[in-house]
């Protein structure tokens, strides 16, 4: 005998909070999407730069800084670097894998500085910094500084910098892709029969 406690589920009204589909939609719209790794790093870099400006004597506002402050910020960051850059007088100058320790300084690697400037350039424009033409992070002096850092680190570490060449797609690549697609679809058709 069936008890009268047996309950047939009913649909919740659309605005009822326990309605799973509406509840899921509310969660998606009410919670901001997590930032990408790039966006998180850009925000962190921007906040670090703003803190650096505030620590100057006298403190600087965003509207007061120029490319000279950006250059001093890059030099300031060297104290936190992890890349050994040998002096010309060092016996290990120009050796990629020195056999022993030396007293040469650790600095920020060129690639890290280059990526940092790219993120700060974008953050400056996002924070109402003005046109790309007036962006202090895009100033020619910054590009010159980065080029000098790249060249000096390459010499000091004995590792020449070579720009990576982009591999162009050839017609052979396209043919190989078409063959792979044809093979995978024929294999799929065979397995489904």
């Amino acid at each position: 005998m069936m008890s009268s406690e047996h309950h047939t589920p009913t649909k919740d009204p659309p605005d009822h909070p326990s309605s799973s589909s509406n509840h899921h939609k509310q969660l998606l719209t009410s919670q901001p999407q997590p930032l990408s790794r790039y966006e998180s790093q850009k925000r962190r870099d921007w906040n670090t730069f703003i803190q650096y400006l505030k620590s100057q004597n006298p403190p600087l506002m965003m509207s007061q800084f120029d490319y000279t402050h950006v250059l001093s910020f890059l030099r300031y960051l060297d104290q936190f670097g992890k890349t050994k850059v040998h002096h010309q007088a060092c016996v290990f100058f120009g050796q990629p894998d020195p056999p022993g320790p030396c007293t040469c300084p650790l600095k920020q690697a060129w690639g890290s500085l280059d990526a940092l400037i790219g993120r700060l350039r974008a953050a400056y424009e996002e924070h109402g910094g003005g046109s790309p033409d007036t962006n202090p992070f895009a100033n020619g002096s910054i590009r010159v500084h980065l080029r000098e850092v790249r060249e000096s680190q390459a010499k000091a570490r004995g590792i020449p910098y070579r720009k990576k060449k982009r591999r162009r797609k050839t017609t052979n690549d396209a043919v190989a892709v078409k063959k792979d697609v044809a093979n995978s679809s024929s294999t799929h058709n065979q397995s489904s029969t």
Side-chain angles (χ1 to χ4, degrees), residues 72-131:
S72 65
F73 177 66
L74 294 178
R75 291 184 192 105
Y76 159 79
L77 290 176
D78 272 339
Q79 67 182 310
F80 307 109
K82 296 176 185 170
T83 300
K84 179 72 77 167
V85 181
H86 301 287
H87 293 292
Q88 281 187 313
C90 179
V91 295
F92 301 133
F93 182 82
Q95 293 185 26
D97 297 312
C102 68
T103 59
C104 292
L106 294 173
K107 295 189 174 190
Q108 290 288 337
W110 165 78
S112 299
L113 293 176
D114 187 50
L116 170 71
I117 289 298
R119 291 188 299 268
L120 288 173
R121 184 184 311 138
Y124 177 82
E125 291 174 13
E126 288 173 11
H127 287 87
S131 72

Side-chain angles (χ1 to χ4, degrees), residues 28-161:
L28 290 177
T29 57
S30 65
Q31 293 177 346
Q33 292 294 319
L35 295 176
S36 69
R37 183 174 178 223
Y38 170 80
E39 291 295 330
S40 297
Q41 187 64 50
K42 184 170 59 172
R43 179 183 286 179
R44 198 167 30 247
D45 293 339
W46 181 252
N47 290 337
T48 301
F49 181 71
I50 294 301
Q51 280 303 116
Y52 172 78
L53 291 179
K54 288 178 181 177
S55 72
Q56 298 304 294
N57 194 5
L60 294 169
M61 302 288 288
M62 187 179 133
S63 60
Q64 297 174 308
F65 81 94
D66 61 16
Y67 75 92
T68 60
H69 300 104
V70 176
L71 289 172
S72 65
F73 177 66
L74 294 178
R75 291 184 192 105
Y76 159 79
L77 290 176
D78 272 339
Q79 67 182 310
F80 307 109
K82 296 176 185 170
T83 300
K84 179 72 77 167
V85 181
H86 301 287
H87 293 292
Q88 281 187 313
C90 179
V91 295
F92 301 133
F93 182 82
Q95 293 185 26
D97 297 312
C102 68
T103 59
C104 292
L106 294 173
K107 295 189 174 190
Q108 290 288 337
W110 165 78
S112 299
L113 293 176
D114 187 50
L116 170 71
I117 289 298
R119 291 188 299 268
L120 288 173
R121 184 184 311 138
Y124 177 82
E125 291 174 13
E126 288 173 11
H127 287 87
S131 72
D133 299 336
T134 60
N135 189 330
F137 298 101
N139 186 284
S141 298
I142 305 298
R143 287 193 296 275
V144 168
H145 176 75
L146 289 174
R147 188 178 327 120
E148 289 171 354
V149 168
R150 181 184 72 207
E151 290 169 359
S152 69
Q153 287 186 4
K155 286 178 188 172
R157 300 182 71 220
I159 304 170
Y161 170 77

Side-chain angles (χ1 to χ4, degrees), residues 179-193:
K179 285 181 181 177
D180 286 344
V181 169
N183 287 341
S184 67
S185 65
S186 65
T187 306
H188 178 71
N189 290 340
Q190 290 172 357
S191 65
S192 62
T193 54

